[in-house]
Amino acid sequence: MTTADRDTPDYEQLHGQALLLRKDIIRMLGIAGSGHPGGSLSAIDYITYLYWFRLRIDPAHPDWADRDRFVLSKGHCAPAWYVALAARGYFPRAWLWTLRDIDSRLQGHPDMLKTPGVDMTSGSLGQGFSAATGIALGGKLQQQDFRVYVMLSDAELQEGIVWEAAMAASHYTLDNLIVFVDDNKLQTDGFTADIMSPNPIAEKWRAFGFETYEINGHDLAQIHDAVERCQAREGRPHAIVGDTIKGKGVPSLENQVDSHSLSKPLTEAEMAHLLAELEGG
């Protein structure tokens, strides 16, 4: 029931899969006319690596007790998670086109009671990480060997609850917990560093007792190397701080504050333009 069937990733295959997922993010958000494209696109390389190489999961049995867990603490970027879950077979791809409909199984933030494959509901920033820490502690207490992977945004680090959970993770030596920071440097009102700087991010995680690595968050080989290092090191929780680009893959959206959220549906021409940009990237 392990996702990976080889010792090293097939990076060409992962790059191709990430492109397909980015296209579905544009399509589903364009149809919904709302949601968060920028942060979803910046997170997709992490998610592709996890769901196509790293996670020990079985989409046919989403509640398998020994599965690895993934928690998207930056829950507003749920589209990045939904496209991966659909592609892995947790639910029909047609569900993607119902995003944010009143009766949809795919709401604007992840809901573990509605969507197969969602291990934890999230939305209020910081709470997903706290829940992930609790899940990792529960796994330790029950002597289970699953790992918990959790993704936070750089702006999410402005929440005090994050550092309370980090302190607990270190205190309980949760070496089964791996944090990914999607450091795309933008939030809804502007540059994160201008609004409430979380920098220096890596030093903060180290100060809280985390084994910490700094990488290019779009370089799949660097993601793989960092996760391998985390899994080889026992006795401490882990943090991987990835330098990422908001809107990654769509040049007209990259590093743009306006790519944080959509306010209206895309026309067919607008969607075609963004998809063409992805192909050209």
Side-chain angles (χ1 to χ4, degrees):
M1 293 188 179
T2 302
T3 296
D5 57 3
R6 43 190 297 158
D7 294 332
T8 58
D10 181 337
Y11 294 115
E12 184 176 351
Q13 186 268 334
L14 290 180
H15 279 297
Q17 187 61 55
L19 176 60
L20 294 176
L21 297 182
R22 285 188 162 96
K23 288 181 177 178
D24 272 351
I25 288 172
I26 294 300
R27 293 187 183 104
M28 72 186 301
L29 289 174
I31 293 170
S34 65
H36 299 83
S40 297
L41 292 168
S42 70
I44 209 65
D45 294 304
Y46 279 140
I47 289 176
T48 301
Y49 172 77
L50 288 173
Y51 276 88
W52 272 266
F53 183 78
R54 178 58 59 180
L55 292 180
R56 185 178 62 182
I57 53 175
D58 181 3
H61 301 90
D63 297 325
W64 174 37
D66 293 331
R67 71 190 184 284
D68 289 333
R69 271 67 165 177
F70 175 71
V71 177
L72 185 66
S73 195
K74 46 178 258 174
H76 55 287
C77 295
W81 200 0
Y82 294 155
V83 294
L85 292 174
R88 284 305 316 264
Y90 281 92
F91 52 78
R93 183 165 172 262
W95 290 14
L96 298 179
W97 323 132
T98 70
L99 176 70
R100 292 182 171 235
D101 288 349
I102 189 67
D103 296 322
S104 176
R105 301 285 294 273
L106 308 182
Q107 289 301 306
H109 293 84
D111 186 334
M112 63 189 297
L113 301 180
K114 290 182 178 293
T115 310
V118 169
D119 287 322
M120 176 51 61
T121 299
S122 61
S124 297
L125 292 175
Q127 292 187 351
F129 176 49
S130 298
T133 300
I135 296 169
L137 178 57
K140 284 282 187 182
L141 292 174
Q142 296 175 35
Q143 299 183 329
Q144 294 178 275
D145 68 352
F146 64 77
R147 297 180 189 276
V148 182
Y149 300 83
V150 55
M151 184 183 295
L152 297 90
S153 68
D154 55 326
E156 188 174 4
L157 304 183
Q158 297 161 345
E159 303 287 343
I161 191 174
V162 168
W163 302 108
E164 294 178 50
M167 189 159 42
S170 182
H171 176 79
Y172 291 109
T173 61
L174 300 182
D175 53 10
N176 57 343
L177 178 66
I178 299 178
V179 175
F180 291 98
V181 178
D182 181 20
D183 183 17
N184 63 36
K185 304 167 189 61
L186 284 167
Q187 59 189 101
T188 187
D189 295 321
F191 286 96
T192 308
D194 294 335
I195 294 168
M196 180 65 74
S197 176
N199 299 318
I201 293 174
E203 282 80 349
K204 285 185 170 68
W205 287 105
R206 291 188 181 106
F208 274 81
F210 281 60
E211 187 74 19
T212 303
Y213 301 97
E214 297 174 81
I215 64 169
N216 177 339
H218 299 304
D219 186 318
L220 292 162
Q222 290 191 30
I223 295 172
H224 174 63
D225 181 67
V227 174
E228 288 284 299
R229 290 172 181 237
C230 291
Q231 298 200 349
R233 183 72 178 264
E234 298 180 346
R236 304 174 73 180
H238 315 277
I240 299 172
V241 180
D243 180 9
T244 58
I245 298 171
K246 197 143 188 167
K248 173 66 176 176
V250 183
S252 64
L253 299 181
E254 289 185 355
N255 287 320
Q256 300 297 314
V257 174
D258 290 344
S259 76
H260 186 83
S261 59
L262 284 181
S263 59
K264 62 181 179 60
L266 298 177
T267 65
E268 289 187 10
E270 289 171 332
M271 199 179 303
H273 174 71
L274 296 179
L275 293 173
E277 284 196 85
L278 271 170
E279 288 285 359

